[in-house]
Amino acid sequence: MFSNIEFFLFEAFRSFQRGALMCFVAIGTITVSLVIFGLFLLLVINLGNIIGSVSSKIDLAAYVEKDLSLESAGALQLELSRIPGVVKVDFISRTEAWKKFQEEYGDTLALDEIIAGNPLPHTFNIKVRTPEILPMVAKRISEMDNIDEVRYSGQFIEQVRSLIDAVRIGGAALVVLISFATLLIVVNTIRLTVLARETDIYIMKLVGATNTFVKWPFIIEGVILGILGGLSSFLILKFSYDAIIARIAVALPFVPLVADQRLLALVYLVMVLGGTALGMIGAYISVSKVLKAEG
Amino acid sequence: MIELVNVSKSYPNGIDVLFNISLNIGKEEFVFLVGSSGAGKTTLLKLLYRDETPTSGKVIVDRVNVAELDSSQVPYLRRNIGVVFQDYKLLPKRTVFENVAFALRVTGAPRSTIRRKVMQALELVGMLRRANAFPEELSGGEKQRACIARAIVNNPPILLADEPTGNLDPTTSWDIIQLLDKINKRNTTVMMATHNKSIVDDMKRRVVAIENGRIVRDQLLGGYNV
Ligand SMILES: Nc1ncnc2c1ncn2[C@@H]1O[C@H](COP(=O)(O)OP(=O)(O)OP(=O)(O)O)[C@@H](O)[C@H]1O
Ligand SMILES: [Mg+2]
């Protein structure tokens, strides 16, 4: 068998030369479907990222009891920061808070007339790791000594949470669906290249070729088509994504697009390897079908 | 070497082609298969290399009933049977050399051996000059000779020739027959389907005549007609 490897490679390459148009079409089809697949993958990853960054901006506000001293507040801050899931605790003193409030509303309201003195308590702004744990953390903090009240936008959290779930599930479903469509398209494209040589396969078998012998060149060819399709889809997607990122960074700077090179490299790798695997599987399935039909 | 026992064949479309054929051919024999067009000659040959399976009966080649052969074993059967196809069956996008070489390549023969044997076979059929031509560039007779070269290139113990002279002029036909005769004397069983009366008459070999799917004559040292 191994003495034939050279021959198989030669055969596979020669079929490109002879069926150049067919191969070109096949590579084009694989490229287009992989680009679509890659776009979806990036879209889903980015949606996840955007939602993640929005939800990381949500925080808790914990108001302490009004007569708490600054020292006790410092101790409390330490205690708060030790709660699991809490990533950051900012202290806002009541004077600071009052000043801010006055700056914001002092012009419209005659504050001094309505309120005598500073009515605000010291406040902690607390960031948690993920929005899911917000209610839990909030409850825990509200049960602590010296804490008067804990506030967070509960409804908004719920919405963000269900949005995250929807993107996760929908994204996964879409990726599966698109993968499947890509598989079908690639397999069928390769099948056309195999069917074009059905007579050849029949003749090869008549002069004593085993199924394995017939299959190898086609599988090698499928792999090569897959690699070429995968590589060109990688190039197309990389250049267009880089261009998109550059544009959006200027036009919509607040939209956090994924630019992590390692994550992107992974996506591109999936496309190239996916293309290769699809080419191989497509060739294998198609040749096996033709061989089976001929008994 | 070849034995048919009560072989009948109907094609899936319902056409009955062979009826209860029994035939025994020894190792050293050279047999002409004659009969009018549509008599069932090609079908009979196809049963031997398992391109078709009989509807009933046994087809024994070299002690093996090929009708019941596992499909994974069929390639090895076919490597032992050289076939000159009535319609050549050359691979269209390969040169004559590559076509002939293919029959050796499937056996995993080393490249140097392939080259030597292919050259020999092409020389034998007088096609050395056309070794690098593609089938579409060949005349009918040249295709036929390329096909013969492929059939004999790995010295199979059995050679089936389906009208191998159908497209040849009398002189070349005669050369080819001499070649088949030589191959037969090298201990190869030869079975040749033909419409060529003068060759059958001159060779004086065993003649099996088929009409409408039945053997109507089986004569040692026979002629084309009774
Ligand atoms: N694959 C097939 N399916 C259905 N019928 C077939 C098939 N091959 C051959 N036949 C029919 O079987 C009969 C015998 O055909 P076959 O090719 O064996 O004849 P033949 O003796 O070789 O004729 P010729 O001398 O013209 O080559 C014919 O009637 C033909 O139409
Ligand atoms: Mg015939």
Side-chain angles (χ1 to χ4, degrees):
Chain A
M1 188 90 285
F2 290 102
S3 65
N4 284 319
I5 284 179
E6 205 185 329
F7 175 69
F8 292 152
L9 279 171
F10 177 71
E11 284 286 295
F13 273 105
R14 204 167 50 171
S15 78
F16 295 128
Q17 205 183 324
R18 286 178 179 160
L21 181 68
M22 186 68 121
C23 291
F24 190 74
V25 171
I27 292 171
T29 313
I30 294 171
T31 304
V32 169
S33 43
L34 282 176
V35 166
I36 294 173
F37 171 75
L39 278 177
F40 263 97
L41 210 56
L42 286 175
L43 189 73
V44 167
I45 290 174
N46 272 301
L47 267 180
N49 195 47
I50 290 169
I51 287 172
S53 80
V54 167
S55 58
S56 75
K57 293 203 172 84
I58 298 165
D59 45 17
L60 288 165
Y63 304 102
V64 304
E65 275 155 12
K66 232 168 144 187
D67 46 7
L68 195 71
S69 71
L70 264 177
E71 293 77 53
S72 324
L76 191 56
Q77 181 172 21
L78 202 66
E79 215 178 314
L80 286 170
S81 66
R82 286 196 181 127
I83 296 172
V86 170
V87 285
K88 197 170 172 217
V89 183
D90 285 328
F91 175 70
I92 301 155
S93 72
R94 51 192 297 254
T95 354
E96 213 179 314
W98 184 234
K99 218 164 77 193
K100 244 191 199 158
F101 190 82
Q102 281 177 315
E103 272 166 21
E104 249 171 80
Y105 302 105
D107 298 343
T108 45
L109 303 170
L111 286 171
D112 292 335
E113 286 169 26
I114 310 168
I115 307 153
N118 180 354
L120 296 177
H122 295 311
T123 310
F124 289 109
N125 266 338
I126 299 162
K127 284 200 184 345
V128 295
R129 192 165 27 79
T130 74
E132 286 98 292
I133 60 171
L134 264 175
M136 219 176 61
V137 173
K139 183 161 179 281
R140 173 135 181 216
I141 294 174
S142 66
E143 281 162 0
M144 283 166 68
D145 288 341
N146 299 326
I147 296 286
D148 189 30
E149 200 188 350
V150 178
R151 276 201 197 149
Y152 67 95
S153 166
Q155 205 191 352
F156 183 56
I157 298 300
E158 283 311 310
Q159 279 170 355
V160 168
R161 239 165 96 178
S162 52
L163 187 60
I164 290 179
D165 285 348
V167 168
R168 272 192 199 144
I169 295 169
L174 262 182
V175 167
V176 167
L177 207 70
I178 299 265
S179 312
F180 198 65
T182 312
L183 179 94
L184 283 184
I185 292 172
V186 174
V187 167
N188 271 302
T189 309
I190 301 262
R191 189 158 80 185
L192 290 181
T193 72
V194 175
L195 283 180
R197 280 167 292 164
E198 206 171 354
T199 322
D200 284 29
I201 293 175
Y202 170 62
I203 296 175
M204 291 173 187
K205 295 256 4 200
L206 278 184
V207 297
T210 56
N211 285 355
T212 322
F213 189 93
V214 172
K215 271 178 198 168
W216 270 113
F218 284 101
I219 291 175
I220 294 172
E221 185 185 336
V223 166
I224 294 171
L225 289 177
I227 289 177
L228 291 178
L231 283 178
S232 40
S233 66
F234 151 63
L235 289 178
I236 292 174
L237 199 65
K238 175 163 171 49
F239 283 117
S240 29
Y241 189 68
D242 287 353
I244 291 172
I245 286 195
R247 291 272 159 78
I248 289 194
V250 175
L252 305 164
F254 47 86
V255 176
L257 283 186
V258 174
D260 175 7
Q261 287 306 317
R262 264 190 301 178
L263 182 62
L264 291 178
L266 192 69
V267 170
Y268 299 144
L269 191 69
V270 164
M271 287 170 59
V272 176
L273 290 184
T276 311
L278 288 183
M280 187 170 82
I281 295 169
Y284 185 85
I285 293 177
S286 317
V287 179
S288 301
K289 255 192 186 157
V290 170
L291 284 170
K292 204 163 185 185
E294 279 164 11
Chain B
M1 197 61 175
I2 296 171
E3 191 182 356
L4 302 188
V5 186
N6 299 325
V7 170
S8 296
K9 171 68 183 172
S10 310
Y11 279 111
N13 60 0
I15 297 183
D16 299 323
V17 183
L18 297 174
F19 302 91
N20 218 23
I21 299 263
S22 291
L23 189 62
N24 204 327
I25 297 170
K27 173 111 195 80
E28 71 294 348
E29 285 198 85
F30 189 125
V31 180
F32 285 116
L33 199 56
V34 301
S36 51
S37 187
K41 304 181 294 297
T42 300
T43 303
L44 194 152
L45 295 179
K46 280 182 172 173
L47 293 175
L48 300 178
Y49 56 92
R50 245 293 278 273
D51 196 18
E52 292 290 348
T53 47
T55 315
S56 65
K58 283 193 212 165
V59 178
I60 296 164
V61 176
D62 203 8
R63 289 187 293 279
V64 175
N65 184 3
V66 303
E68 286 169 358
L69 196 62
D70 189 84
S71 63
S72 67
Q73 295 304 308
V74 170
Y76 305 99
L77 166 76
R78 288 175 179 169
R79 290 176 199 178
N80 283 323
I81 303 179
V83 184
V84 182
F85 301 97
Q86 193 169 6
D87 54 354
Y88 325 124
K89 297 210 193 301
L90 295 168
L91 294 162
K93 296 198 167 163
R94 285 159 214 260
T95 62
V96 168
F97 181 94
E98 289 166 337
N99 263 285
V100 178
F102 198 87
L104 285 174
R105 224 151 233 155
V106 297
T107 67
R111 217 155 38 141
S112 53
T113 315
I114 293 179
R115 199 174 165 74
R116 184 169 45 79
K117 287 194 172 178
V118 172
M119 289 310 196
Q120 271 172 11
L122 288 177
E123 164 109 71
L124 217 54
V125 297
M127 282 290 287
L128 215 41
R129 261 184 335 113
R130 306 291 279 139
N132 292 319
F134 290 96
E136 61 190 18
E137 302 163 355
L138 300 178
S139 73
E142 286 171 330
K143 281 184 207 164
Q144 209 142 38
R145 285 186 279 159
C147 188
I148 293 168
R150 181 178 61 186
I152 62 172
V153 72
N154 64 352
N155 296 320
I158 296 172
L159 181 65
L160 306 179
D162 201 348
E163 305 206 24
T165 60
N167 278 297
L168 301 179
D169 59 86
T171 319
T172 319
S173 296
W174 197 246
D175 288 346
I176 292 298
I177 294 304
Q178 295 300 322
L179 178 62
L180 295 185
D181 192 37
K182 204 160 89 189
I183 290 164
N184 171 239
K185 297 224 161 77
R186 256 186 358 207
N187 221 8
T188 300
T189 315
V190 176
M191 209 169 163
M192 169 171 160
T194 185
H195 293 295
N196 194 319
K197 180 176 185 324
S198 64
I199 284 177
V200 177
D201 289 341
D202 285 354
M203 288 290 287
K204 300 204 168 47
R205 295 302 182 99
R206 180 174 171 187
V207 174
V208 173
I210 303 183
E211 277 323 322
N212 298 319
R214 293 186 171 81
I215 295 184
V216 292
R217 177 162 61 104
D218 187 348
Q219 187 180 13
L220 293 172
L221 311 179
Y224 193 80
N225 300 313
V226 193

